[in-house]
Amino acid sequence: MKIGFIGLGNMGAPMAANLVAAGHEVWGFDMAAPCPEGVQAASGAPQAAEGADVVITMLPNGAILRAVAGEIIAHMSPGAVLLDCSTVDVQSARDVAEIAAKSGLMAMDAPVSGGVGGAAAGTLTFMAGGPEDGFAKVAPLFEIMGQKAVHCGPSGNGQAAKICNNMILGVTMIGTCEAFALADKLGLDRQKMFDVVSTSSGYSWSMNAYCPAPGVGPQSPADNDYTPGFAADLMLKDLRLSQQAAQAVDADTPMGQAATALYQSFVEEEDGAGKDFSAMLPRFTSRRRM
Ligand code: NAD
């Protein structure tokens, strides 16, 4: 396929490189980052989009997605797919899809989980929203860049799945960290706590696969001084998107709201910026009951 790739940052660059390695012709554009080897440098977003079967965007937020979509839609060929893999608000994804459809394009929102490691290894999980024929057209690309793709329904549903998943993740990570901090004060050994919880009803991905306690459970950012991994800043971004969505549809999400407030203080006031999101554990152990 001829593929346009706009947004070649930490995630986009390795994803584009994997498409090149699989034999696709990739034209890339980023306003700051260089093109990875094998990706042909376009003069701007419109040139990257021109004549492409699929245009992939991997951008910071919904406002930038809207701006880039506004630049490229008129340059895309009818029947082409606009595939946004960024994490953005549900409404931006739905609005962009509507504008694209009016120009005879198929728009898919397909945010990812798996982080920079998953992007480099081609093991991302894609959560896709949009038309069935759009999903079918880009499915071979999901296979190259990832290991799993779930079609979640119409436009915006990929973003909905992503923020619901990450709201659960933020809440369970906080719960796991505060439970470890309580266990410490009760004199319960962290390894014993892990041995019990990881095989009991308190188990979760946060405990079992990404344990926030150093030296306990499988290797995780906790074992590397909380170097991300998945940065607390990115967790805050996703939690804010969950709260923006909850407000828009009048959904009661008190735990998501509390997690957002905690990660906001952690990132903005408590030196959490740039640390892994599991660094909530030392944050809790260094504090007393409020
Ligand atoms: P990044 O900041 O490294 O990359 C974004 C790139 O977009 C930058 O290189 C920037 O120069 C470029 N850009 C911004 N405006 C542009 C424009 N108008 N035209 C062209 N290029 C433009 O971010 P990232 O870590 O690669 O994340 C990208 C997206 O993926 C985000 O939405 C993020 O939430 C999501 N995501 C990131 C991770 C992660 O672990 N980094 C994991 C899952 C999802």
Side-chain angles (χ1 to χ4, degrees):
M1 281 192 208
K2 186 174 179 202
I3 299 168
F5 207 117
I6 302 166
L8 297 162
N10 293 322
M11 296 290 290
M15 290 164 72
N18 283 336
L19 293 171
V20 170
H24 292 290
E25 177 187 344
V26 182
W27 286 80
F29 176 71
D30 189 294
M31 59 189 287
C35 279
E37 210 182 308
V39 173
Q40 316 206 41
S43 59
Q47 198 201 356
E50 200 100 42
D53 301 295
V54 177
V55 177
I56 301 176
T57 48
M58 196 52 172
L59 297 162
N61 59 47
I64 295 176
L65 170 67
R66 284 171 187 266
V68 168
E71 271 185 77
I72 62 175
I73 283 174
H75 295 265
M76 290 177 64
S77 318
V81 180
L82 174 54
L83 173 63
D84 178 46
C85 295
S86 331
T87 304
V88 305
D89 58 287
V90 176
Q91 200 52 52
S92 291
R94 290 188 172 150
D95 290 348
V96 165
E98 200 182 318
I99 298 165
K102 281 187 185 142
S103 295
L105 305 173
M106 292 181 281
M108 302 294 301
D109 53 293
V112 302
S113 112
V116 178
T123 56
L124 295 168
T125 295
F126 290 87
M127 311 153 223
E132 195 67 60
D133 41 356
F135 184 79
K137 188 162 174 182
V138 296
L141 305 184
F142 289 150
E143 270 172 39
I144 295 163
M145 298 185 287
Q147 63 184 359
K148 190 177 165 105
V150 179
H151 190 196
C152 301
S155 295
N157 280 24
Q159 298 295 348
K162 167 88 187 175
I163 56 173
C164 289
N165 180 73
N166 281 21
M167 189 173 80
I168 294 170
L169 177 61
V171 167
T172 55
M173 180 53 80
I174 287 171
T176 304
C177 291
E178 67 183 22
F180 264 118
L182 172 62
D184 285 350
K185 292 198 172 173
L186 294 173
L188 172 61
D189 179 71
R190 286 182 171 184
Q191 183 64 51
K192 301 290 179 207
M193 160 94 167
F194 177 84
D195 292 345
V196 172
V197 175
S198 65
T199 53
S200 300
S201 48
Y203 85 105
S204 69
W205 186 86
S206 296
M207 174 62 85
N208 291 38
Y210 206 90
C211 183
V216 179
Q219 275 282 322
S220 70
D223 300 306
N224 191 22
D225 204 20
Y226 297 101
T227 304
F230 184 49
D233 322 50
L234 284 175
M235 174 50 83
L236 176 59
K237 172 191 171 179
D238 294 355
L239 284 168
R240 281 182 166 146
L241 291 175
S242 77
Q243 293 311 290
Q244 188 181 338
Q247 196 166 19
V249 297
D250 198 19
D252 189 21
T253 57
M255 301 302 286
Q257 202 173 353
T260 308
L262 278 161
Y263 274 106
Q264 179 168 340
S265 326
F266 185 53
V267 168
E268 294 180 355
E269 293 155 30
E270 297 163 5
D271 209 24
K275 290 189 182 144
D276 189 73
F277 84 118
S278 61
M280 271 289 169
L281 175 54
R283 181 226 180 246
F284 280 118
T285 52
S286 67
R287 293 168 71 94
R288 300 167 61 107
R289 188 173 176 78
M290 302 271 289

